[in-house]
C-alpha cells in the first residue's frame, strides 16, 4: 500500500521509488518508469507453488489470503499458474487484516465442510501465526490436510514462537534461495554484532531475505548515484527533479553481485527471477526438501516430506467431509428403459429406491476406491414423480452447483463437456439403426447354387475343362485310355476331369507330369467341396432373417418416418443427417418402440448401442441392428469441472470393466449373450463363398498345369525336331513350314511305341514286309528296317491311307498305298503302317 501511494508521487516528481518488500504483481501494471522493485514479484513464486501441485498430482486448492492489496494481488497469478498444471480453485477464502480469532475459526469451519484439503496461505506475518494456531485447534492440521505458505510467511518462520511452529508441523513453504557464500556469512555476522549493540534486549535476532534485499537495493542505489553528476539543486514541496531521469537510467544499467547473487533490473524495473527453495516445517525449524528455478530449468525432485498428522502418507488432496452432507448424486427419472435407471417410491414409507444397470456399475466402482465415498441418490423429478427436465437440464444442475454428480445413462457429448467433466465411458459407444426383420425366403429349387458366387462357379467350371485338356495332352500319346475316335477322347477327358469331384476317375495315368497336375487339382477340388458342403448345410439348417431396410439414404430418399428415444441427443444427430422434424417420432420405452413398428408409424429407429442391445435381448427375432455405427462416446458419470474425483473414478471404471463383475451386471440387467443376427449393411445371403477365398488355390493349380504343358511341349519338340528342321539331305523335298508343323501334329496324334505301355503291341505287331511286292519303278527302299526289292510279286494293300474306315476288321498291321511315287530311282514316297481299325501306328518317308 505504501508503494502504491508513492509511485504516482515519484512519477510526478521524476524521483525513483525503490522497494525491497512490495511483492504484489499489481504494482507492475502501473507501468511507471520511476518504480524499481528490488525483490521478487509474487507472480514468480506462484510457479514454484504450481510445481509442487504437479509433483503430487493435486487437482484443487483453496487460497487463504489477507483481504488487502498485498493478499489480493497474488490471486490472479496464482489461479493462472494452477490452471496450467490442471488444478482449479473452487473457493477463495479472504480474511480481513483485523479479523478476530473467532472470525478466523468461523472461516476455517466453513473450509472443513468442503472436499478440498489443499490450502495455499498468503497472509501477513502477524496474521499467519494466529491462523495456524486456530487451524490446529479446530483439527485442520491432521492427516489428509495440505498447507502451503508463500514467502510472506516462510521467511519469518525463524522468528515465530515455538508454540506457533508446533501448530505448523508438516507445512510446506516456498522462499527465495539465498546462496550461502562467504560474503553472506560475513555480512550476517557483522549485522548481528551491530544489532546486538543497538538492541541488547532482543536475543537471537535473525536477518531474513527482505533484509538482504534491502542491503542489495541500497548498494544498487549508491552505485547508480555514482554514475552521474548531480545538479545538487534543492527542491521544495513536490517539484521536478532534474536528476531523477538520469538516476532512473543509472539504476536500470546497474548490475553487480550482491548477497542474493547477481543483481540486475529488467527494462520494466523488475528484478530478474531467481531460484526458490521448498521447505518443510519439522520441529522448531524448516528444512529444505527441494528447489525450483525459473524456466528453462525445472523443479528438482522433492525429498521426504513430513505431512500434518500422518508423516508418511501423501495426502490425496480432497476428502468427502464426514461432518458435512453426503455427496448428492442426481439420477434421471424416465418411464421406460428401466433396466438402466429405475426410480421407485414406496407408497407406505415414502422411501425412494434407485436401481438399475448404471447404479450397479457406479456402486461397484465406488467399492474399488481406496477411500470411502458416502453418497445419496437424488431423483431429478417433480413432486408428482415425473421427470423434471431433459438430460441436459439434469447435467446443468451439476454446473449450477445444485448436485455434486450425476449417475445414469448420460451420454458423453462435446457440448456437455464444456460445462462439466465426464469420467471414462463404461458402456459401448455409438448410434445405430434398428429395423424389423423378415424370413430370408432364399430356400427354393435353386438354393444349391447359393453357397458359391457366380464368379466362383464359372471359374471352377473353366478349370475343369482346362484340367481335362491338360490331362489329354499329356496322356494322349502314351495311354490307351485317351486314344480312339475324337468323340471318345473328348468324352474321356471331360469324364476324367469332372469325376475328380467324387474321386471316381478310372483311367490310368501314365505320365508323372499328369499325376502331379491331378494331385494338385484333387487337393483344390477337395477344399472347394468341403467348403461348399459346410455352406450349403448352414443355408438349409440355420434360420435366415432379412432386414426390411439396409441403407439410411433409402429412408431419406423415400421420406420415411423414423423413431428415436425421447430426451436423448439422437434427435440432434438425426437432424444433422438430413431428417426433418416432421419425420421423427419419439418413444420412451421398449413397448413404445415396438408399438410404433407394429402400427406402421416408423420403418426404422435410431438409438444408442446400449439401448439397442437391450431391445435385441428382448426382441431378438423381430429386429436387427444395421451398420454403420455413428460415433458417440458412450455413458459416463458427470462431475463438476476440475473435480478431483474424476481421475480416481475413471481408473476404478477400468478396473471394473476389465473384471468379471461387469459381465455379471450386464447379465443381470440386459441378459446373457443372445444369438441375434449380426449387424449388416446388406441382407444375409448364406455366407456365400467367393473367388477371393480360393484364388490362391486356382493360381497354384493353374501354374502347375501350365508348367506341365510347357515341359511336355519342349520335350516333344526337341525329340521330333527333325520334322521342323530337316537335315540337308532332305532339303531337296522342300516342304513348307506349315507342312512341317502339320507333320509335327500328326506325329503327336500317333502312339509313342517307345513308351513302356505299348511294349506288348510293338512286339505283336512287327510286320515282315520282305515278301511284299510294291508296284513301283525298279528301286530299293525301306519301311522300318525291311528292304523291298523292286519287281517283287507281292501286291500292295488297299484301301489308301485317307480311307481308314474301309479297312477290314483285322487287327493285323497292313501297309497303306504308296503315293506320290515317280520313276526316279532316288524318289521318295510316303506311307503309313496302320491297324485294321484305322488307328495309325507310325508313318515314315521312304
Amino acid at each position: 500500500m505504501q508503494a502504491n501511494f508513492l509511485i504516482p508521487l515519484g512519477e510526478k516528481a521524476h524521483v525513483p521509488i525503490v522497494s525491497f518488500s512490495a511483492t504484489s504483481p499489481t504494482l507492475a501494471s502501473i507501468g511507471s518508469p520511476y518504480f524499481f522493485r528490488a525483490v521478487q514479484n509474487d507472480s514468480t513464486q506462484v510457479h514454484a507453488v504450481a510445481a509442487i501441485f504437479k509433483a503430487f498430482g493435486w487437482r484443487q486448492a483453496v487460497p487463504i489470503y489477507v483481504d488487502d492489496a498485498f493478499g489480493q494481488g497474488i490471486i490472479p497469478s496464482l489461479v493462472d499458474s494452477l490452471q496450467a498444471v490442471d488444478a482449479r480453485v473452487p473457493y477463495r477464502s479472504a480474511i480481513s487484516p483485523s479479523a478476530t480469532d473467532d472470525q478466523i475459526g468461523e472461516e476455517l469451519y466453513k473450509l472443513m465442510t468442503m472436499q478440498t484439503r489443499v490450502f495455499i496461505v498468503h497472509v501477513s506475518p502477524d496474521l499467519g501465526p494466529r491462523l495456524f494456531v486456530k487451524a490446529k485447534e479446530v483439527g485442520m492440521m491432521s492427516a489428509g490436510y495440505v498447507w502451503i505458505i508463500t514467502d510472506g510467511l516462510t521467511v519469518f518462520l525463524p522468528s515465530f514462537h515455538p508454540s506457533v511452529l508446533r501448530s505448523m508441523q508438516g507445512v510446506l513453504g516456498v522462499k527465495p534461495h539465498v546462496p550461502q557464500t562467504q560474503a553472506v556469512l560475513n555480512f550476517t555476522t557483522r549485522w548481528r554484532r551491530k544489532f546486538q549493540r543497538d538492541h541488547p534486549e532482543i536475543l537471537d535476532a535473525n536477518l531474513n531475505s527482505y533484509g538482504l534485499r534491502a542491503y542489495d537495493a541500497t548498494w544498487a542505489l549508491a552505485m547508480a548515484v555514482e554514475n552521474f553528476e548531480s545538479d545538487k539543486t534543492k527542491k521544495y514541496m513536490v517539484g521536478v527533479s532534474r536528476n531523477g531521469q538520469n538516476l532512473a537510467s543509472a539504476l536500470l544499467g546497474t548490475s553487480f553481485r550482491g548477497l542474493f547473487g547477481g543483481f540486475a533490473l529488467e527494462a520494466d524495473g523488475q528484478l530478474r527471477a531467481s531460484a526458490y527453495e521448498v521447505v518443510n516445517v519439522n520441529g522448531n525449524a524448516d528444512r529444505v526438501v527441494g528447489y525450483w528455478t525459473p524456466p528453462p530449468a525445472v523443479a528438482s525432485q522433492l525429498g521426504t516430506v513430513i505431512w500434518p498428522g500422518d508423516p508418511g502418507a501423501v495426502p490425496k488432496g480432497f476428502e468427502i467431509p464426514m461432518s458435512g452432507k453426503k455427496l448428492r448424486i442426481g439420477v434421471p427419472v424416465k418411464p421406460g428403459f428401466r433396466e438402466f435407471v429405475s426410480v421407485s417410491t414406496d407408497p407406505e414409507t415414502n422411501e425412494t429406491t434407485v436401481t438399475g444397470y448404471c447404479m450397479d456399475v457406479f456402486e461397484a466402482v465406488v467399492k474399488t476406491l481406496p477411500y470411502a465415498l458416502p453418497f445419496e441418490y437424488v431423483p431429478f423429478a417433480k413432486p408428482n414423480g415425473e421427470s423434471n427436465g431433459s438430460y441436459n437440464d439434469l447435467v446443468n444442475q451439476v454446473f449450477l452447483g445444485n448436485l455434486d454428480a450425476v449417475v445414469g445413462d448420460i451420454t458423453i457429448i462435446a457440448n456437455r463437456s464444456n460445462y462439466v467433466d465426464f469420467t471414462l465411458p463404461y458402456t459401448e459407444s455409438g448410434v445405430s439403426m434398428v429395423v424389423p426383420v423378415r424370413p430370408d425366403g432364399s430356400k427354393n429349387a435353386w438354393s444349391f447354387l447359393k453357397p458359391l458366387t457366380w464368379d466362383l462357379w464359372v471359374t471352377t467350371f473353366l478349370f475343369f475343362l482346362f484340367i481335362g485338356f491338360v490331362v489329354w495332352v499329356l496322356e494322349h500319346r502314351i495311354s490307351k485310355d485317351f486314344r480312339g475316335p475324337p468323340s471318345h477322347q473328348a468324352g474321356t477327358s471331360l469324364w476324367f476331369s469332372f469325376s475328380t469331384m467324387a474321386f471316381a476317375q478310372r483311367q490310368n495315368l501314365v505320365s508323372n507330369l499328369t499325376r502331379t497336375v491331378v494331385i494338385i487339382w484333387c487337393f483344390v477340388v477337395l477344399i472347394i467341396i468341403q467348403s461348399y458342403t459346410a455352406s450349403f448345410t448352414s443355408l438349409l439348417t440355420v434360420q435366415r432373417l432379412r432386414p426390411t431396410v439396409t441403407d439410411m439414404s433409402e429412408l431419406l430418399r423415400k421420406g420415411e418416418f423414423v423413431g428415436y428415444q425421447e430426451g436423448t441427443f439422437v434427435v440432434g444427430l438425426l437432424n444433422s443427417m438430413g431428417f426433418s422434424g416432421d419425420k421423427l417420432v419419439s418413444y420412451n420405452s421398449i413397448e413404445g418402440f415396438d408399438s410404433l413398428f407394429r402400427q406402421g408409424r416408423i420403418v426404422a429407429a435410431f438409438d444408442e448401442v446400449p439401448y439397442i442391445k437391450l431391445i435385441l435381448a428382448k426382441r431378438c427375432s423381430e429386429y436387427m441392428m444395421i451398420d454403420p455405427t455413428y460415433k458417440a462416446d458412450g455413458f459416463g458419470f458427470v462431475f463438476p469441472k476440475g473435480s478431483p474425483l474424476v481421475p480416481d473414478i475413471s481408473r476404478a471404471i477400468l478396473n471394473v470393466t476389465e473384471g468379471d463383475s461387469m459381465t455379471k451386471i450386464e447379465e443381470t440387467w440386459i441378459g446373457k449373450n443372445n444369438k441375434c443376427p449380426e449387424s449388416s449393411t446388406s441382407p444375409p445371403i448364406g455366407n456365400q463363398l467367393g473367388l477371393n477365398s480360393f484364388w490362391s488355390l486356382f493360381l497354384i493349380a493353374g501354374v502347375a498345369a501350365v508348367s506341365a504343358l510347357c515341359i511336355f511341349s519342349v520335350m516333344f519338340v526337341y525329340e521330333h525336331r527333325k520334322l521342323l528342321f530337316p537335315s540337308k539331305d532332305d532339303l531337296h523335298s522342300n516342304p513348307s513350314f506349315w507342312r512341317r508343323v502339320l507333320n509335327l501334329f500328326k506325329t503327336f496324334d500317333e502312339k509313342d511305341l517307345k513308351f513302356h505301355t505299348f511294349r506288348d503291341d510293338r512286339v505283336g505287331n512287327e510286320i515282315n514286309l520282305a515278301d511284299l511286292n510294291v508296284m513301283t519303278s525298279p528301286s530299293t527302299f525301306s519301311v522300318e528296317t525291311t528292304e523291298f526289292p523292286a519287281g517283287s510279286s507281292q501286291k500292295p494293300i488297299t484301301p489308301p491311307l485317307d480311307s481308314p474306315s474301309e479297312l477290314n476288321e483285322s487287327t493285323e498291321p497292313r501297309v497303306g498305298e504308296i503315293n506320290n511315287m515317280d520313276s526316279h530311282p532316288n524318289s521318295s514316297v510316303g506311307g503309313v503302317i496302320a491297324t485294321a481299325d484305322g488307328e495309325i501306328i507310325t508313318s515314315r518317308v521312304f
Side-chain angles (χ1 to χ4, degrees):
M1 290 182 291
Q2 296 169 1
N4 198 31
F5 172 75
L6 289 175
I7 290 174
L9 297 179
E11 185 172 4
K12 185 175 182 180
H14 292 189
V15 175
I17 305 296
V18 182
S19 173
F20 58 86
S21 60
T23 59
S24 175
T26 58
L27 296 176
S29 62
I30 298 177
S32 172
Y34 293 95
F35 174 61
F36 300 91
R37 191 186 336 236
V39 67
Q40 290 291 329
N41 191 329
D42 282 339
S43 61
T44 302
Q45 67 170 325
V46 296
H47 296 296
V49 174
I52 299 175
F53 270 74
K54 186 176 182 179
F56 292 104
W58 298 319
R59 299 291 301 278
Q60 286 187 350
V62 171
I64 303 175
Y65 60 96
V66 60
D67 194 11
D68 59 13
F70 167 71
Q72 296 169 359
I74 197 176
I75 295 302
S77 299
L78 178 61
V79 173
D80 291 343
S81 64
L82 291 178
Q83 288 179 347
V85 294
D86 202 20
R88 61 186 293 268
V89 177
Y91 178 75
R92 304 176 187 183
S93 176
I95 298 179
S96 171
S98 58
T100 63
D101 290 348
D102 291 340
Q103 291 173 331
I104 295 174
E106 182 180 350
E107 182 65 20
L108 293 177
Y109 277 119
K110 183 190 298 185
L111 297 178
M112 289 180 65
T113 63
M114 300 179 183
Q115 296 181 17
T116 305
R117 288 294 182 264
V118 183
F119 305 103
I120 302 173
V121 180
H122 184 68
V123 296
S124 58
D126 57 341
L127 182 59
R130 293 195 297 133
L131 173 67
F132 281 100
V133 170
K134 198 64 178 178
K136 176 75 172 179
E137 180 182 325
V138 300
M140 294 182 69
M141 297 303 297
S142 58
Y145 286 90
V146 178
W147 293 87
I148 301 175
I149 57 177
T150 60
D151 65 351
L153 281 181
T154 308
V155 296
F156 291 101
L157 285 176
S159 62
F160 286 170
H161 192 273
S163 62
V164 176
L165 294 176
R166 286 193 295 270
S167 301
M168 298 179 66
Q169 294 299 298
V171 172
L172 287 174
V174 294
K175 66 178 182 180
H177 170 63
V178 180
Q180 297 300 310
T181 61
Q182 190 63 39
V184 174
L185 296 177
N186 293 339
F187 174 76
T188 304
T189 302
R190 296 198 313 271
W191 178 86
R192 285 179 178 174
R193 188 182 302 117
K194 185 177 187 306
F195 186 87
Q196 194 66 40
R197 289 197 305 266
D198 296 342
H199 306 280
E201 72 281 2
I202 300 178
L203 303 177
D204 298 329
N206 292 298
L207 184 66
N208 58 35
S209 62
Y210 287 108
L212 299 179
R213 290 293 189 190
Y215 185 78
D216 284 349
T218 305
W219 265 101
L221 182 59
M223 294 176 66
V225 170
E226 289 182 349
N227 290 334
F228 75 95
E229 293 294 334
S230 173
D231 288 342
K232 305 186 185 310
T233 303
K234 188 174 182 179
K235 295 293 177 183
Y236 298 95
M237 301 302 289
V238 188
V240 176
S241 172
R242 297 179 181 179
N243 302 315
Q245 187 173 0
N246 294 331
L247 181 60
S249 299
L251 279 171
L252 289 176
T254 301
S255 62
F256 65 96
R257 186 159 189 83
L259 298 179
F260 255 96
F263 183 97
L265 297 174
E266 303 284 355
D268 57 356
Q270 306 295 309
L271 191 66
R272 291 179 182 175
S274 60
Y276 274 84
E277 296 177 354
V278 181
V279 300
N280 183 212
V281 178
N282 185 13
N284 292 328
D286 59 322
R287 61 185 182 88
V288 178
V289 294
Y291 295 92
W292 177 89
T293 54
V298 295
S300 64
Q301 184 70 29
L302 294 177
T304 303
V305 177
I306 304 300
W307 303 101
D310 189 356
V314 178
K316 59 180 178 290
F318 72 97
E319 186 176 335
I320 304 302
M322 299 302 295
S323 58
K325 56 185 178 181
K326 297 180 180 180
L327 207 65
R328 290 170 52 83
I329 306 292
V331 295
V333 176
K334 53 194 304 185
F337 295 96
R338 299 172 65 86
E339 289 81 0
F340 290 97
V341 179
S342 176
V343 179
S344 59
T345 303
D346 190 331
E348 297 181 359
T349 62
N350 203 30
E351 181 180 355
T352 301
T353 303
V354 181
T355 58
Y357 171 82
C358 300
M359 279 60 243
D360 283 2
V361 173
F362 179 73
E363 292 168 9
V365 167
V366 170
K367 289 180 181 179
T368 63
L369 293 176
Y371 49 84
L373 187 67
F375 63 88
E376 60 178 353
Y377 292 124
V378 180
F380 188 56
K382 300 177 181 178
N384 61 1
E386 296 180 356
S387 176
N388 197 25
S390 65
Y391 278 46
N392 287 337
D393 296 332
L394 175 58
V395 171
N396 194 45
Q397 297 301 308
V398 177
F399 174 72
L400 296 176
N402 298 329
L403 294 172
D404 298 316
V406 170
V407 172
D409 48 348
I410 310 296
T411 304
I412 303 172
I413 56 178
N415 183 51
R416 294 170 180 170
S417 64
N418 293 329
Y419 306 96
V420 296
D421 278 350
F422 285 93
T423 62
L424 290 177
Y426 58 90
T427 63
E428 294 183 54
S429 62
V431 175
S432 286
M433 181 171 67
V434 183
V435 298
V437 295
R438 62 174 182 267
D440 189 6
S442 60
K443 298 177 182 179
N444 51 46
W446 300 100
S447 297
F448 71 92
L449 295 176
K450 293 189 175 181
L452 307 183
T453 59
W454 281 110
D455 56 351
L456 183 55
W457 277 116
V458 172
T459 303
T460 304
F461 177 76
L462 293 178
F463 255 81
F464 273 119
L465 298 180
F466 176 64
I467 296 297
F469 170 75
V470 172
V471 171
W472 175 80
V473 171
L474 298 178
E475 295 288 322
H476 176 64
R477 302 191 72 242
I478 59 177
S479 176
K480 297 178 181 180
D481 293 330
F482 292 90
R483 300 195 64 82
S487 60
H488 173 76
Q489 296 182 44
T492 301
S493 300
L494 293 177
W495 164 258
F496 178 87
S497 179
F498 283 96
S499 63
T500 55
M501 290 190 294
F503 305 101
Q505 59 273 18
R506 295 175 296 176
Q507 290 76 11
N508 293 324
L509 301 179
V510 180
S511 172
N512 289 330
L513 292 176
T514 312
R515 292 169 180 171
T516 302
V517 172
V518 171
I519 288 174
I520 296 175
W521 174 243
C522 286
F523 176 72
V524 174
V525 171
L526 175 64
I527 293 178
I528 294 177
I529 290 176
Q530 295 296 331
S531 302
Y532 174 88
T533 303
S535 180
F536 192 44
T537 302
S538 174
L539 178 68
L540 295 178
T541 58
V542 178
Q543 182 182 6
R544 301 285 172 176
L545 299 176
R546 182 190 299 270
T548 55
V549 180
T550 61
D551 191 4
M552 184 194 70
S553 59
E554 180 182 350
L555 300 175
L556 290 170
R557 186 175 62 256
K558 295 181 178 180
E560 301 285 5
F561 286 85
V562 298
Y564 69 94
Q565 187 181 162
E566 182 180 348
T568 64
F569 76 100
V570 177
V571 61
L573 178 63
L574 292 176
N575 289 330
S576 65
M577 292 178 180
F579 290 96
S580 59
D582 57 345
K583 298 295 183 180
L584 303 179
V585 183
S586 65
Y587 56 86
N588 54 23
S589 64
I590 297 180
E591 292 74 17
F593 168 91
D594 194 47
S595 176
L596 291 178
F597 277 109
R598 294 185 183 279
Q599 296 173 9
R601 297 179 58 189
I602 60 175
V603 297
F606 289 83
D607 215 331
E608 296 177 75
V609 172
Y611 299 114
I612 295 177
K613 290 178 61 177
L614 178 62
I615 292 173
L616 295 182
K618 296 179 178 296
R619 304 285 194 276
C620 181
S621 61
E622 301 177 35
Y623 302 100
M624 178 183 293
M625 182 171 66
I626 304 298
D627 289 338
T629 299
Y630 302 94
K631 182 63 179 175
D633 290 327
F635 296 163
F637 303 131
V638 181
F639 288 89
K641 271 285 187 183
S643 173
L645 287 172
V646 172
D648 291 346
I649 295 291
S650 295
R651 282 190 289 269
I653 287 175
L654 293 178
N655 294 330
V656 171
T657 54
E658 294 175 358
D660 297 334
S661 57
M662 195 68 176
T663 303
K664 295 178 181 178
I665 294 173
E666 289 184 354
E667 291 179 354
T668 300
W669 293 103
I670 299 179
K672 296 184 178 181
N673 294 334
N674 50 79
K675 299 179 180 179
C676 288
E678 297 181 355
S679 62
S680 173
T681 57
S682 60
I685 55 176
N687 297 327
Q688 279 189 311
L689 302 174
L691 181 61
N692 57 339
S693 301
F694 301 97
W695 69 267
S696 59
L697 294 175
F698 286 113
L699 178 62
I700 295 173
V703 170
V706 172
S707 300
L709 281 177
C710 292
I711 295 173
F712 171 81
S713 300
V714 171
M715 294 174 61
F716 177 77
V717 171
Y718 179 79
E719 181 182 359
H720 301 86
R721 59 189 180 278
K722 291 185 178 180
L723 294 177
L724 288 176
F725 311 103
S727 63
K728 295 181 179 180
D729 297 337
D730 298 329
L731 288 176
H732 65 275
S733 60
N734 195 24
S736 66
F737 174 77
W738 293 110
R739 181 66 179 177
R740 283 177 279 169
V741 172
L742 181 60
N743 290 335
L744 184 66
F745 277 103
K746 288 181 178 180
T747 303
F748 168 76
D749 195 38
E750 299 170 0
K751 287 183 179 180
D752 188 355
L753 292 178
K754 298 189 300 298
F755 207 77
H756 68 87
T757 54
F758 296 117
R759 183 177 302 162
D760 296 338
D761 293 345
R762 186 171 67 248
V763 173
N765 293 327
E766 289 181 349
I767 304 173
N768 185 6
L769 300 177
D771 298 329
L772 291 179
N773 180 25
V774 179
M775 298 179 63
T776 182
S777 62
S779 62
T780 301
F781 60 93
S782 63
V783 177
E784 295 294 336
T785 58
T786 306
E787 293 186 356
F788 293 80
S792 175
S793 60
Q794 182 65 43
K795 303 296 182 180
I797 299 175
T798 56
L801 176 63
D802 56 353
S803 303
S805 59
E806 300 180 11
L807 295 175
N808 57 30
E809 299 300 324
S810 173
T811 60
E812 293 298 325
R814 300 183 296 177
V815 178
E817 183 181 41
I818 299 175
N819 301 312
N820 302 324
M821 181 172 129
D822 57 29
S823 60
H824 196 279
N826 295 324
S827 63
S828 299
V829 297
V832 298
I833 299 177
T835 59
D837 60 1
E839 184 177 357
I840 298 174
I841 298 175
T842 185
S843 63
R844 291 291 185 270
V845 176
F846 306 102

